Amino acid sequence: MEKMVIIGGGIGGAIAHDLALRGFSVVLLEKGELCCGSTGRHHGLLHSGARYALHDVATAAECMTENRILRAIAPQAVEQNDGLFVAVDDADMNHYGQLIRNCSAAGIPSRELSAVDARRMEPELSPTIKAAVQVPDATMDAWRLAMHFFASAKANGADIRPFSEVVGLLVNHGAVTGVKVRDHHRHATYIEEADMVINATGPWAGKIAALLDIHLPMKPSPGVMVSMQPRLTGMVINRLHPAGKGDIVVPQRNQSILGTSAWIANDPDEVTLPADHVRQMIDLCSRMLPKLAHLPVVAAWSASRPLLVGDAEADPTRISRASQVIDHGLSDGVEGMLSVVGGKATTMRAMAEKVVDRVCAKTGRAIPCTTKHTVLTHYRRFFRR
Ligand SMILES: Cc1cc2nc3c(=O)[nH]c(=O)nc-3n(C[C@H](O)[C@H](O)[C@H](O)COP(=O)(O)OP(=O)(O)OC[C@H]3O[C@@H](n4cnc5c(N)ncnc54)[C@H](O)[C@@H]3O)c2cc1C
């Protein structure tokens, strides 16, 4: 069976799992620790899709489908706690009817709640809220979910190599035939041959494409998250407005994770943590949960979204969260390499399915995807010999 080399140990784990289930030989190379990129550092919201319903119904519907699948195949990584969209003022109320209609169009179950009922469910909500909508958001353990995929891939024969950085691509007669790898454990460089290479490096995807002199219009779009103690709510709390800043509070264990902001960076290796964004997250989120203004900050960090942007795109909160698989044979005349960009952690299984369907089409194999129904191996198994 053909050998596939995946670059990137975030969403790449889901691709490795799908490839291994379909019988391919798999090597995955990650330059740092697994999940050290955005995948291990995001907000931890298993989206119902309602966050996107006001401006991107297709992405909202995909999130809901994947939300249901991940609850079933990775139950240990998901807290099934639901979410509220909270109208803080009259401007938010202007979106209330549209949110309900668009959730329905996207297949997202929603329940209308009066301010009194919402506060009965979540007493820390501001006493001045106008109304709320309950949706099937959930809290996911970002790291565990991804590690379940790695454990499953490994159990089916995938060779997963952290601290292995791709520093070059081998090209023969116009096709990628392998990668040059720097092993940061052994301080050695070696060649790994491949029938096909999959660039799953998220915010770094443009850097890998540049090794072939291919321009991928990737822009890392970082955002800041702030962790405060204690956990104030049982459910995920979202502001009921079109996606913006400081509008999500995810309860993770005994913490409240506030987020997020969005800007465009030039280099994923030079992403900062602007102090004013930390303050802004606290100010904006405390409009929904006033106690946040007085809690201690436990930690603050930033992570980058791997977004594909048109040059004219100005507002990173509005860039599509849809994923794309780019076949460089079709787009750039270089066979043997696919890049996967965009998407959400919530949709990583679906992204992997798209990638591996393309691999099957290119290698002339009609092997169906089974990841929708395959319960994932527990992450702890990854560390056992
Ligand atoms: C602020 C913020 C909040 C978010 N919140 C959520 C959320 O609540 N829910 C949700 O579903 N999604 C969320 N996301 C989106 C989610 O984090 C990303 O869509 C997802 O993690 C991207 O995964 P990835 O594998 O594409 O990228 P990454 O996880 O960044 O993985 C890419 C990997 O490639 C590796 N790599 C790069 N170059 C090389 C090389 N040369 N050789 C080998 N390896 C290399 C990197 O080290 C990295 O580990 C959020 C994103 C941000 C920025």
Side-chain angles (χ1 to χ4, degrees):
M1 186 56 96
E2 289 88 346
K3 176 171 154 193
M4 301 294 144
V5 165
I6 303 166
I7 317 173
I11 208 104
I15 301 171
H17 167 55
D18 195 331
L19 282 169
L21 274 182
R22 297 202 219 187
F24 288 93
S25 163
V26 182
V27 173
L28 183 142
L29 303 163
E30 162 55 53
K31 71 176 175 176
E33 186 49 281
L34 297 173
C35 308
C36 69
S38 306
T39 298
R41 294 189 287 145
H42 65 70
H43 215 151
L45 170 52
L46 180 64
H47 286 274
S48 62
R51 178 77 277 155
Y52 304 110
L54 285 172
H55 61 279
D56 185 350
V57 174
T59 295
E62 186 184 34
C63 285
M64 189 61 240
T65 302
E66 292 304 312
N67 173 311
R68 288 197 174 97
I69 292 171
L70 290 176
R71 284 169 191 251
I73 67 172
Q76 310 90 334
V78 180
E79 180 185 340
Q80 312 216 10
N81 48 346
D82 275 5
L84 292 182
F85 276 71
V86 179
V88 162
D89 56 24
D90 290 338
D92 291 354
M93 281 307 284
N94 290 337
H95 303 291
Y96 195 92
Q98 195 68 49
L99 180 69
I100 300 287
R101 285 191 293 280
N102 288 14
C103 280
S104 167
I108 303 167
S110 66
R111 179 174 164 224
E112 298 180 46
L113 294 171
S114 67
V116 172
D117 285 342
R119 292 197 69 235
R120 198 171 288 137
M121 296 165 91
E122 291 293 359
E124 296 298 347
L125 284 172
S126 165
T128 61
I129 64 161
K130 307 286 178 188
V133 179
Q134 185 177 355
V135 294
D137 281 346
T139 295
M140 68 165 117
D141 184 316
W143 183 86
R144 276 190 191 172
L145 177 64
M147 288 307 296
H148 284 339
F149 279 106
F150 285 112
S152 307
K154 190 176 166 191
N156 288 312
D159 180 355
I160 314 273
R161 301 182 198 163
F163 299 103
S164 301
E165 181 171 1
V166 170
V167 292
L169 292 166
L170 312 181
V171 179
N172 194 0
H173 293 102
V176 176
T177 56
V179 294
K180 189 172 171 190
V181 189
R182 180 73 187 158
D183 180 332
H184 291 294
H185 275 311
R186 295 181 181 80
H187 305 290
T189 301
Y190 65 94
I191 297 294
E192 190 70 43
E193 292 184 346
D195 292 299
M196 200 177 287
V197 170
I198 298 162
N199 172 16
T201 51
W204 289 267
K207 288 196 169 189
I208 295 293
L211 295 173
L212 294 173
D213 285 331
I214 291 173
H215 173 65
L216 258 191
M218 289 289 305
K219 290 279 184 194
S221 168
V224 163
M225 281 150 293
V226 182
S227 170
M228 306 183 94
Q229 248 172 0
R231 173 178 181 147
L232 289 185
T233 61
M235 288 188 250
V236 177
I237 306 298
N238 305 267
R239 177 100 181 247
L240 197 167
H241 67 177
K245 294 178 184 166
D247 53 8
I248 305 177
V249 181
V250 181
Q252 287 274 3
R253 299 192 178 89
N254 190 34
Q255 298 180 24
S256 304
I257 315 289
L258 288 54
T260 176
S261 55
W263 72 98
I264 296 287
N266 284 324
D267 188 332
D269 291 309
E270 288 172 16
V271 169
T272 54
L273 176 64
D276 57 324
H277 286 222
V278 175
R279 194 64 251 162
Q280 190 187 34
M281 291 308 101
I282 298 169
D283 289 347
L284 289 170
C285 290
S286 58
R287 296 200 62 195
M288 300 184 287
L289 296 162
K291 249 193 196 165
L292 290 172
H294 310 289
L295 294 181
V297 172
V298 176
W301 65 96
S302 51
S304 292
R305 301 167 189 86
L307 301 183
L308 197 58
V309 296
D311 286 339
E313 200 72 57
D315 179 357
T317 62
R318 298 302 164 87
I319 299 170
S320 169
R321 265 48 172 179
S323 63
Q324 275 191 49
V325 181
I326 297 161
D327 179 343
H328 294 289
L330 296 177
S331 59
D332 308 288
V334 182
E335 283 297 339
M337 188 165 98
L338 303 177
S339 290
V340 54
V341 291
K344 306 283 303 164
T346 299
T347 56
M348 70 165 97
R349 189 217 60 84
M351 290 166 74
E353 180 176 346
K354 266 201 250 177
V355 172
V356 183
D357 282 351
R358 187 69 67 87
V359 168
C360 284
K362 288 193 79 76
T363 54
R365 300 186 180 273
I367 313 169
C369 176
T370 54
T371 57
K372 273 188 192 129
H373 312 293
T374 305
V375 174
L376 295 173
T377 302
H378 198 282
Y379 79 92
R380 284 197 202 104
R381 296 290 300 267
F382 183 84
F383 302 101
R384 293 196 193 138
R385 290 188 184 278

